[in-house]
Amino acid sequence: EPEVTQTPSHQVTQMGQEVILRCVPISNHLYFYWYRQILGQKVEFLVSFYNNEISEKSEIFDDQFSVERPDGSNFTLKIRSTKLEDSAMYFCASSDWEKLFFGSGTQLSVL
Amino acid sequence: GQQLNQSPQSMFIQEGEDVSMNCTSSSIFNTWLWYKQDPGEGPVLLIALYKAGELTSNGRLTAQFGITRKDSFLNISASIPSDVGIYFCAGQGRGGATNKLIFGTGTLLAVQP
């Protein structure tokens, strides 16, 4: 069964460093998303991406964040100058519109 | 921001019992989805509901889309230990022009063998 894959599964970084989280969406999906889940909390929307541009973003997704689809298969989330409060599980998802399928996540720890 | 409230927050039940949880919102959604999350994993889609009043089953799971489009419930019959996890409702399509999901606060389910 097709699935969304994310790498790395865990990322530890120093405060102020840049990180890139990678995702391979399901191949025939057109819509891509990043969500975040701080430990013990609900899953929060960050950004949606369609037709090579951001279609919607939340208040969390400020200038520190950017997304890119560098080729036909990868979808990345870049976090510049990481802060302690960026520590969370980051989930990539893809859909053909309604049903979103999520990856297993990248656990980001900012020290 | 938008809030979907789930109840109960947590449930501790015996294997074989039936479970019911619900989700309410102050906003109307076009689609309701239910996800299950295991520790350290991403949410896994269980059921999607597209029409007000719709009742849909997936094995031992049954979910309904409320008539007002502001609520949904999920029932699990004859629970088993592998049902343990956090169950999230998610609303989609608020305002019609978006497919982003707004997640509920989650219900933690623990099943005693």
Side-chain angles (χ1 to χ4, degrees):
Chain A
E1 184 168 326
E3 59 180 19
V4 177
T5 56
Q6 290 186 243
T7 54
S9 56
H10 294 85
Q11 175 89 52
V12 181
T13 190
Q14 294 288 328
M15 193 168 56
Q17 296 295 304
E18 174 181 287
V19 294
I20 297 177
L21 310 183
R22 292 183 165 79
C23 171
V24 178
I26 294 173
S27 62
N28 62 339
H29 285 177
L30 301 177
Y31 300 87
F32 315 116
Y33 316 80
W34 284 99
Y35 284 77
R36 179 181 83 174
Q37 186 178 33
I38 294 170
L39 184 64
Q41 298 186 22
K42 67 177 183 178
V43 180
E44 299 176 289
F45 171 76
L46 292 179
V47 66
S48 57
F49 192 86
Y50 170 72
N51 201 24
N52 286 319
E53 60 182 25
I54 290 174
S55 49
E56 196 168 358
K57 60 183 181 179
S58 71
E59 295 170 350
I60 303 168
F61 194 90
D62 59 21
D63 292 343
Q64 184 194 4
F65 295 88
S66 61
V67 290
E68 193 177 35
R69 188 155 162 82
D71 55 44
S73 60
N74 291 285
F75 180 52
T76 62
L77 174 68
K78 182 188 291 186
I79 309 175
R80 286 179 283 275
S81 189
T82 49
K83 302 179 289 229
L84 295 176
E85 55 265 37
D86 294 328
S87 295
M89 189 77 125
Y90 288 80
F91 293 109
C92 174
S94 69
S95 76
D96 53 4
W97 176 247
E98 285 161 332
K99 295 181 184 177
L100 273 69
F101 294 89
F102 287 80
S104 296
T106 294
Q107 178 66 58
L108 176 65
S109 299
V110 182
L111 306 178
Chain B
Q2 299 164 24
Q3 181 88 344
L4 268 65
N5 295 306
Q6 282 185 245
S7 63
Q9 277 191 315
S10 59
M11 305 179 74
F12 299 88
I13 62 170
Q14 295 287 327
E15 182 177 0
E17 289 184 27
D18 296 343
V19 169
S20 185
M21 59 190 81
N22 65 59
C23 187
T24 59
S25 169
S26 57
S27 305
I28 290 173
F29 289 99
N30 294 332
T31 304
W32 283 88
L33 302 100
W34 284 91
Y35 287 85
K36 177 176 183 266
Q37 186 179 30
D38 291 331
E41 296 291 326
V44 174
L45 180 64
L46 299 174
I47 289 181
L49 302 156
Y50 302 104
K51 283 172 49 177
E54 178 182 353
L55 185 72
T56 296
S57 293
N58 178 9
R60 294 178 296 106
L61 277 60
T62 302
Q64 184 157 31
F65 192 153
I67 290 290
T68 63
R69 292 163 63 197
K70 293 183 178 181
D71 62 320
S72 177
F73 72 73
L74 175 71
N75 288 342
I76 305 173
S77 62
S79 58
I80 59 178
S82 60
D83 290 335
V84 164
I86 302 177
Y87 290 79
F88 288 101
C89 62
Q92 185 181 51
R94 180 174 177 273
T98 174
N99 64 352
K100 77 178 183 192
L101 297 181
I102 305 297
F103 278 85
T105 47
T107 294
L108 171 66
L109 178 64
V111 180
Q112 174 92 19

